[in-house]
CSV table of all heavy atoms in Angstrom, one decimal:
chain,number,residue,atom,x,y,z
H,5,PRO,N,3.8,10.3,14.0
H,5,PRO,CA,2.9,11.1,14.8
H,5,PRO,C,1.6,11.5,14.0
H,5,PRO,O,0.8,12.4,14.4
H,5,PRO,CB,3.7,12.4,15.1
H,5,PRO,CG,4.7,12.4,14.0
H,5,PRO,CD,5.0,11.0,13.6
H,6,ALA,N,1.4,11.0,12.8
H,6,ALA,CA,0.3,11.3,12.0
H,6,ALA,C,-1.0,11.1,12.7
H,6,ALA,O,-1.2,10.1,13.4
H,6,ALA,CB,0.3,10.5,10.7
H,7,PRO,N,-2.0,11.9,12.6
H,7,PRO,CA,-3.3,11.8,13.3
H,7,PRO,C,-4.2,10.7,12.9
H,7,PRO,O,-5.1,10.3,13.6
H,7,PRO,CB,-4.0,13.2,13.1
H,7,PRO,CG,-3.5,13.6,11.8
H,7,PRO,CD,-2.1,13.1,11.7
H,8,THR,N,-4.0,10.2,11.7
H,8,THR,CA,-4.9,9.1,11.2
H,8,THR,C,-4.2,8.1,10.3
H,8,THR,O,-3.1,8.4,9.8
H,8,THR,CB,-6.1,9.8,10.4
H,8,THR,OG1,-7.0,8.8,10.0
H,8,THR,CG2,-5.6,10.5,9.1
H,9,ALA,N,-4.8,7.0,10.1
H,9,ALA,CA,-4.2,5.9,9.3
H,9,ALA,C,-5.2,5.1,8.6
H,9,ALA,O,-6.4,5.0,9.0
H,9,ALA,CB,-3.3,5.0,10.2
H,10,LEU,N,-4.8,4.5,7.5
H,10,LEU,CA,-5.6,3.5,6.7
H,10,LEU,C,-4.9,2.2,6.9
H,10,LEU,O,-3.7,2.1,6.6
H,10,LEU,CB,-5.7,3.9,5.3
H,10,LEU,CG,-6.8,4.7,4.7
H,10,LEU,CD1,-6.7,5.0,3.2
H,10,LEU,CD2,-8.2,4.1,5.0
H,11,ALA,N,-5.7,1.2,7.3
H,11,ALA,CA,-5.1,-0.2,7.4
H,11,ALA,C,-5.7,-1.0,6.2
H,11,ALA,O,-6.9,-1.4,6.3
H,11,ALA,CB,-5.5,-0.8,8.7
H,12,ILE,N,-4.9,-1.2,5.2
H,12,ILE,CA,-5.4,-1.9,4.0
H,12,ILE,C,-4.8,-3.4,4.1
H,12,ILE,O,-3.6,-3.6,4.0
H,12,ILE,CB,-4.9,-1.2,2.7
H,12,ILE,CG1,-5.3,0.2,2.7
H,12,ILE,CG2,-5.5,-2.0,1.5
H,12,ILE,CD1,-6.8,0.5,2.7
H,13,GLY,N,-5.7,-4.3,4.3
H,13,GLY,CA,-5.3,-5.7,4.4
H,13,GLY,C,-5.4,-6.5,3.1
H,13,GLY,O,-6.1,-6.0,2.1
H,14,CYS,N,-4.7,-7.6,3.0
H,14,CYS,CA,-4.7,-8.4,1.8
H,14,CYS,C,-4.7,-9.9,2.2
H,14,CYS,O,-3.9,-10.3,3.0
H,14,CYS,CB,-3.4,-8.1,1.0
H,14,CYS,SG,-3.4,-9.1,-0.6
H,15,HIS,N,-5.8,-10.6,1.7
H,15,HIS,CA,-5.9,-12.0,1.9
H,15,HIS,C,-5.8,-12.7,0.6
H,15,HIS,O,-6.8,-13.2,0.0
H,15,HIS,CB,-7.2,-12.3,2.6
H,15,HIS,CG,-7.2,-12.1,4.1
H,15,HIS,ND1,-8.3,-12.5,4.9
H,15,HIS,CD2,-6.3,-11.6,4.9
H,15,HIS,CE1,-8.0,-12.2,6.2
H,15,HIS,NE2,-6.8,-11.6,6.2
H,16,GLU,N,-4.7,-12.7,0.0
H,16,GLU,CA,-4.4,-13.3,-1.3
H,16,GLU,C,-3.2,-14.1,-1.2
H,16,GLU,O,-2.7,-14.5,-0.1
H,16,GLU,CB,-4.3,-12.2,-2.4
H,16,GLU,CG,-5.6,-11.4,-2.5
H,16,GLU,CD,-6.7,-12.1,-3.3
H,16,GLU,OE1,-6.4,-13.2,-3.9
H,16,GLU,OE2,-7.8,-11.6,-3.3
H,17,ASN,N,-2.6,-14.5,-2.4
H,17,ASN,CA,-1.3,-15.1,-2.4
H,17,ASN,C,-0.2,-14.1,-2.2
H,17,ASN,O,-0.5,-12.9,-2.3
H,17,ASN,CB,-1.1,-16.0,-3.6
H,17,ASN,CG,-1.3,-15.2,-4.9
H,17,ASN,OD1,-0.8,-14.1,-5.1
H,17,ASN,ND2,-2.1,-15.7,-5.8
H,18,GLN,N,1.0,-14.5,-2.1
H,18,GLN,CA,2.1,-13.6,-1.8
H,18,GLN,C,2.3,-12.6,-3.0
H,18,GLN,O,2.6,-11.4,-2.8
H,18,GLN,CB,3.4,-14.3,-1.5
H,18,GLN,CG,4.6,-13.4,-1.1
H,18,GLN,CD,5.8,-14.1,-0.6
H,18,GLN,OE1,5.7,-15.4,-0.4
H,18,GLN,NE2,6.8,-13.4,-0.3
H,19,LEU,N,2.2,-13.1,-4.2
H,19,LEU,CA,2.4,-12.2,-5.4
H,19,LEU,C,1.4,-11.1,-5.4
H,19,LEU,O,1.7,-9.9,-5.6
H,19,LEU,CB,2.3,-13.1,-6.6
H,19,LEU,CG,2.7,-12.4,-8.0
H,19,LEU,CD1,4.1,-11.9,-7.9
H,19,LEU,CD2,2.4,-13.3,-9.1
H,20,SER,N,0.1,-11.4,-5.1
H,20,SER,CA,-0.9,-10.4,-5.1
H,20,SER,C,-0.7,-9.4,-3.9
H,20,SER,O,-0.9,-8.2,-4.1
H,20,SER,CB,-2.3,-11.1,-4.9
H,20,SER,OG,-2.6,-11.9,-6.0
H,21,ALA,N,-0.2,-9.9,-2.8
H,21,ALA,CA,0.0,-9.0,-1.7
H,21,ALA,C,1.2,-8.0,-2.0
H,21,ALA,O,1.1,-6.9,-1.7
H,21,ALA,CB,0.4,-9.8,-0.4
H,22,GLU,N,2.2,-8.5,-2.7
H,22,GLU,CA,3.3,-7.7,-3.1
H,22,GLU,C,2.8,-6.6,-4.1
H,22,GLU,O,3.2,-5.5,-4.1
H,22,GLU,CB,4.4,-8.5,-3.6
H,22,GLU,CG,5.1,-9.3,-2.6
H,22,GLU,CD,6.2,-10.3,-3.2
H,22,GLU,OE1,6.3,-10.4,-4.4
H,22,GLU,OE2,6.9,-10.9,-2.4
H,23,TYR,N,2.0,-7.0,-5.0
H,23,TYR,CA,1.4,-6.1,-6.0
H,23,TYR,C,0.6,-5.0,-5.3
H,23,TYR,O,0.8,-3.8,-5.6
H,23,TYR,CB,0.5,-6.8,-7.0
H,23,TYR,CG,-0.2,-5.9,-7.9
H,23,TYR,CD1,0.4,-5.4,-9.1
H,23,TYR,CD2,-1.6,-5.5,-7.6
H,23,TYR,CE1,-0.3,-4.5,-9.9
H,23,TYR,CE2,-2.2,-4.7,-8.5
H,23,TYR,CZ,-1.6,-4.2,-9.6
H,23,TYR,OH,-2.3,-3.3,-10.4
H,24,GLN,N,-0.2,-5.4,-4.3
H,24,GLN,CA,-1.0,-4.4,-3.6
H,24,GLN,C,-0.1,-3.5,-2.8
H,24,GLN,O,-0.3,-2.2,-2.9
H,24,GLN,CB,-2.0,-5.1,-2.6
H,24,GLN,CG,-2.8,-4.2,-1.7
H,24,GLN,CD,-3.9,-4.9,-1.0
H,24,GLN,OE1,-4.8,-5.3,-1.6
H,24,GLN,NE2,-3.7,-5.0,0.3
H,25,ALA,N,0.9,-4.0,-2.2
H,25,ALA,CA,1.8,-3.1,-1.4
H,25,ALA,C,2.6,-2.1,-2.4
H,25,ALA,O,2.7,-0.9,-2.0
H,25,ALA,CB,2.9,-4.0,-0.7
H,26,ASP,N,3.0,-2.6,-3.6
H,26,ASP,CA,3.7,-1.7,-4.5
H,26,ASP,C,2.7,-0.6,-5.0
H,26,ASP,O,3.1,0.5,-5.2
H,26,ASP,CB,4.2,-2.5,-5.7
H,26,ASP,CG,5.4,-3.4,-5.3
H,26,ASP,OD1,6.0,-3.1,-4.3
H,26,ASP,OD2,5.7,-4.4,-6.1
H,27,PHE,N,1.5,-1.0,-5.3
H,27,PHE,CA,0.5,0.0,-5.7
H,27,PHE,C,0.3,1.0,-4.7
H,27,PHE,O,0.2,2.2,-5.0
H,27,PHE,CB,-0.8,-0.7,-6.0
H,27,PHE,CG,-1.9,0.1,-6.6
H,27,PHE,CD1,-2.0,0.3,-8.0
H,27,PHE,CD2,-2.8,0.8,-5.8
H,27,PHE,CE1,-3.0,1.1,-8.5
H,27,PHE,CE2,-3.8,1.6,-6.3
H,27,PHE,CZ,-3.9,1.8,-7.7
H,28,LEU,N,0.2,0.6,-3.4
H,28,LEU,CA,0.0,1.6,-2.3
H,28,LEU,C,1.2,2.5,-2.1
H,28,LEU,O,1.0,3.6,-1.7
H,28,LEU,CB,-0.4,0.8,-1.0
H,28,LEU,CG,-1.7,0.1,-1.1
H,28,LEU,CD1,-1.9,-0.7,0.2
H,28,LEU,CD2,-2.9,1.0,-1.3
H,29,ARG,N,2.4,1.9,-2.3
H,29,ARG,CA,3.6,2.8,-2.2
H,29,ARG,C,3.6,3.9,-3.2
H,29,ARG,O,4.0,5.0,-2.9
H,29,ARG,CB,4.8,1.9,-2.3
H,29,ARG,CG,5.1,0.9,-1.2
H,29,ARG,CD,6.5,0.3,-1.3
H,29,ARG,NE,6.7,-0.7,-0.2
H,29,ARG,CZ,6.5,-2.0,-0.3
H,29,ARG,NH1,6.1,-2.5,-1.5
H,29,ARG,NH2,6.7,-2.8,0.7
H,30,GLN,N,3.1,3.6,-4.4
H,30,GLN,CA,3.0,4.6,-5.5
H,30,GLN,C,2.1,5.7,-5.0
H,30,GLN,O,2.4,6.9,-5.2
H,30,GLN,CB,2.6,4.0,-6.8
H,30,GLN,CG,3.6,3.0,-7.4
H,30,GLN,CD,3.0,2.3,-8.7
H,30,GLN,OE1,2.0,2.8,-9.3
H,30,GLN,NE2,3.6,1.2,-9.1
H,31,ILE,N,0.9,5.3,-4.5
H,31,ILE,CA,0.0,6.3,-4.0
H,31,ILE,C,0.6,7.2,-2.9
H,31,ILE,O,0.5,8.4,-2.9
H,31,ILE,CB,-1.3,5.7,-3.5
H,31,ILE,CG1,-2.1,5.0,-4.7
H,31,ILE,CG2,-2.2,6.6,-2.7
H,31,ILE,CD1,-3.3,4.3,-4.3
H,32,CYS,N,1.3,6.5,-2.0
H,32,CYS,CA,1.9,7.3,-0.9
H,32,CYS,C,3.0,8.2,-1.4
H,32,CYS,O,3.1,9.4,-0.9
H,32,CYS,CB,2.5,6.3,0.1
H,32,CYS,SG,1.3,5.4,1.0
H,33,ARG,N,3.8,7.8,-2.4
H,33,ARG,CA,4.8,8.7,-2.9
H,33,ARG,C,4.1,9.9,-3.6
H,33,ARG,O,4.6,11.1,-3.5
H,33,ARG,CB,5.7,8.0,-3.9
H,33,ARG,CG,6.7,7.1,-3.3
H,33,ARG,CD,7.8,6.6,-4.3
H,33,ARG,NE,7.2,5.8,-5.3
H,33,ARG,CZ,7.2,4.4,-5.2
H,33,ARG,NH1,7.7,3.8,-4.1
H,33,ARG,NH2,6.7,3.7,-6.2
H,34,GLN,N,3.0,9.6,-4.3
H,34,GLN,CA,2.3,10.7,-5.0
H,34,GLN,C,1.7,11.7,-4.1
H,34,GLN,O,1.7,12.9,-4.4
H,34,GLN,CB,1.2,10.0,-5.8
H,34,GLN,CG,0.3,11.0,-6.6
H,34,GLN,CD,-0.9,10.2,-7.3
H,34,GLN,OE1,-0.8,9.1,-7.6
H,34,GLN,NE2,-2.0,11.0,-7.5
H,35,LEU,N,1.3,11.3,-2.9
H,35,LEU,CA,0.6,12.2,-2.0
H,35,LEU,C,1.5,12.6,-0.8
H,35,LEU,O,1.1,13.5,-0.1
H,35,LEU,CB,-0.6,11.5,-1.3
H,35,LEU,CG,-1.7,11.0,-2.3
H,35,LEU,CD1,-2.8,10.3,-1.6
H,35,LEU,CD2,-2.3,12.3,-3.0
H,36,GLY,N,2.7,12.1,-0.8
H,36,GLY,CA,3.6,12.5,0.3
H,36,GLY,C,3.3,12.0,1.7
H,36,GLY,O,3.5,12.7,2.7
H,37,ILE,N,2.7,10.8,1.7
H,37,ILE,CA,2.4,10.2,3.0
H,37,ILE,C,3.2,8.9,3.2
H,37,ILE,O,3.8,8.4,2.3
H,37,ILE,CB,0.9,9.8,3.1
H,37,ILE,CG1,0.5,8.9,2.0
H,37,ILE,CG2,0.0,11.1,3.1
H,37,ILE,CD1,-1.0,8.5,2.1
H,38,GLN,N,3.2,8.4,4.5
H,38,GLN,CA,4.1,7.3,4.8
H,38,GLN,C,3.3,6.0,4.8
H,38,GLN,O,2.1,6.0,4.9
H,38,GLN,CB,4.7,7.5,6.2
H,38,GLN,CG,5.6,8.7,6.3
H,38,GLN,CD,6.3,8.8,7.6
H,38,GLN,OE1,5.7,9.2,8.6
H,38,GLN,NE2,7.6,8.5,7.7
H,39,ILE,N,4.1,4.9,4.6
H,39,ILE,CA,3.5,3.6,4.5
H,39,ILE,C,4.4,2.6,5.2
H,39,ILE,O,5.7,2.7,5.1
H,39,ILE,CB,3.2,3.1,3.1
H,39,ILE,CG1,2.6,1.7,3.1
H,39,ILE,CG2,4.5,3.2,2.3
H,39,ILE,CD1,2.1,1.3,1.7
């Protein structure tokens, strides 16, 4: 039900996409938001 969202896309290889997703998960844990 959150009022806003960020859509962060990745057009790389699978390893880079997984790295980006892990980095964003760390930010979400730090700020207490969902991903």
Side-chain angles (χ1 to χ4, degrees):
T8 186
L10 267 179
I12 308 296
C14 182
H15 280 186
E16 297 285 346
N17 56 47
Q18 186 171 355
L19 186 62
S20 297
E22 290 173 353
Y23 171 83
Q24 177 170 292
D26 289 340
F27 184 90
L28 295 175
R29 289 189 184 99
Q30 293 177 18
I31 290 178
C32 291
R33 285 194 293 268
Q34 175 184 337
L35 298 177
I37 58 180
Q38 293 185 286
I39 182 173

